[in-house]
């Protein structure tokens, strides 16, 4: 069995309309939070920048939440602008739904696949593991990893999931010899 890994190379862009220039893309840049205290209540925002005009906007992470409701490690991550906290917050689907944006993963991931050895016995089984929830169409991923055309992928690959629908979960497939 060959292991393949889909890894994030950078944080994805956000498909989010800018209020100034009407561009449809924003980025978290280095990733920064803004934490504002109002008595015993905290507001936490993730700051994003428009890729066209560089305008900074805020995505609401927590609004008027009691200080005691925060996990101390999470609160420290917000104060320190921890990259892992930024990634976890950005990849949270509830945050995307609440702030009305989607993630644009183009160019933000790579496939780490060992080359198939020609002396291996056919059929070859491949296990694909996603380290982050990168939505990828399996037929395109397999075509890239094996150097096949997508038609050849549809002909030679046996898989339990649909090859033409994006997936974010790991899967296993079998490559036949013809």
């Amino acid at each position: 069995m060959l292991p393949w890994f889909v890894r994030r190379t950078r944080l994805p862009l956000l498909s989010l309309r800018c209020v100034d220039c009407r561009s449809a893309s924003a980025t978290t840049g280095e990733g920064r939070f803004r934490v504002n205290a109002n008595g015993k209540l905290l507001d936490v925002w993730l700051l994003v920048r428009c890729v066209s005009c560089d305008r900074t906007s805020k995505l609401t992470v927590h609004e008027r939440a009691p200080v005691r409701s925060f996990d101390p490690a999470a609160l420290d991550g917000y104060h320190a602008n921890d990259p892992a906290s930024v990634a976890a917050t950005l990849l949270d689907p509830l945050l995307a739904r609440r702030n009305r944006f989607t993630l644009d993963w183009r160019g933000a991931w790579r496939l780490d696949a060992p080359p198939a050895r020609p002396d291996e016995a056919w059929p070859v089984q491949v296990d694909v593991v996603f380290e982050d929830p990168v939505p990828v169409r399996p037929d395109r991923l397999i075509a890239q990893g094996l150097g096949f055309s997508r038609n050849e992928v549809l002909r030679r690959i046996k898989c339990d999931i649909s090859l033409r629908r994006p997936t974010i979960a790991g899967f296993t497939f079998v490559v036949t010899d013809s």
Side-chain angles (χ1 to χ4, degrees), residues 60-124:
T60 302
V61 179
H62 297 285
E63 190 170 33
R64 301 283 186 228
V67 175
R68 291 183 182 189
S69 69
F70 285 91
D71 175 35
L75 193 55
D76 288 342
Y78 295 146
H79 284 297
N81 294 318
D82 178 44
S85 295
V86 171
T89 301
L90 186 62
L91 298 178
D92 181 8
L94 294 175
L95 178 78
R97 188 175 313 126
R98 190 171 46 240
N99 288 285
R100 297 186 179 106
F101 69 86
T102 58
L103 298 176
D104 180 4
W105 284 96
R106 287 177 290 187
W109 61 275
R110 74 172 190 268
L111 174 64
D112 292 337
R117 295 184 303 272
D119 60 339
E120 285 189 65
W122 294 93
V124 177

Side-chain angles (χ1 to χ4, degrees), residues 17 35 41 63 75 80 82 88 97 101 109 125 131-132 141 161 166 169:
R17 181 83 48 203
V35 181
L41 302 176
E63 190 170 33
L75 193 55
D82 178 44
R97 188 175 313 126
F101 69 86
W109 61 275
Q125 185 173 355
E131 293 186 350
D132 285 302
L141 181 77
I161 64 169

Side-chain angles (χ1 to χ4, degrees), residues 13 27 95 108 133 162:
L13 293 176
T27 180
L95 178 78
S162 171

Side-chain angles (χ1 to χ4, degrees), residues 34-172:
R34 176 157 183 232
V35 181
N36 186 30
N38 185 359
K40 294 183 181 182
L41 302 176
L42 286 181
D43 292 316
V44 179
W45 297 286
L46 179 62
L47 302 179
V48 296
R49 284 190 344 262
C50 175
V51 284
S52 297
C53 69
D54 215 29
R55 182 187 197 284
T56 301
S57 300
K58 300 182 288 188
L59 301 177
T60 302
V61 179
H62 297 285
E63 190 170 33
R64 301 283 186 228
V67 175
R68 291 183 182 189
S69 69
F70 285 91
D71 175 35
L75 193 55
D76 288 342
Y78 295 146
H79 284 297
N81 294 318
D82 178 44
S85 295
V86 171
T89 301
L90 186 62
L91 298 178
D92 181 8
L94 294 175
L95 178 78
R97 188 175 313 126
R98 190 171 46 240
N99 288 285
R100 297 186 179 106
F101 69 86
T102 58
L103 298 176
D104 180 4
W105 284 96
R106 287 177 290 187
W109 61 275
R110 74 172 190 268
L111 174 64
D112 292 337
R117 295 184 303 272
D119 60 339
E120 285 189 65
W122 294 93
V124 177
Q125 185 173 355
V126 179
D127 184 36
V128 180
V129 177
F130 287 78
E131 293 186 350
D132 285 302
V134 179
V136 175
R137 278 184 46 171
D139 62 343
R140 291 181 179 161
L141 181 77
I142 295 168
Q144 176 185 339
L146 296 175
F148 291 172
S149 69
R150 291 200 343 239
N151 283 335
E152 190 175 3
V153 166
L154 296 174
R155 192 178 78 248
R156 292 184 59 186
I157 301 299
K158 304 297 182 227
C159 188
D160 291 338
I161 64 169
S162 171
L163 294 177
R164 294 186 178 192
R165 294 211 169 145
T167 184
I168 59 172
F171 61 94
T172 302

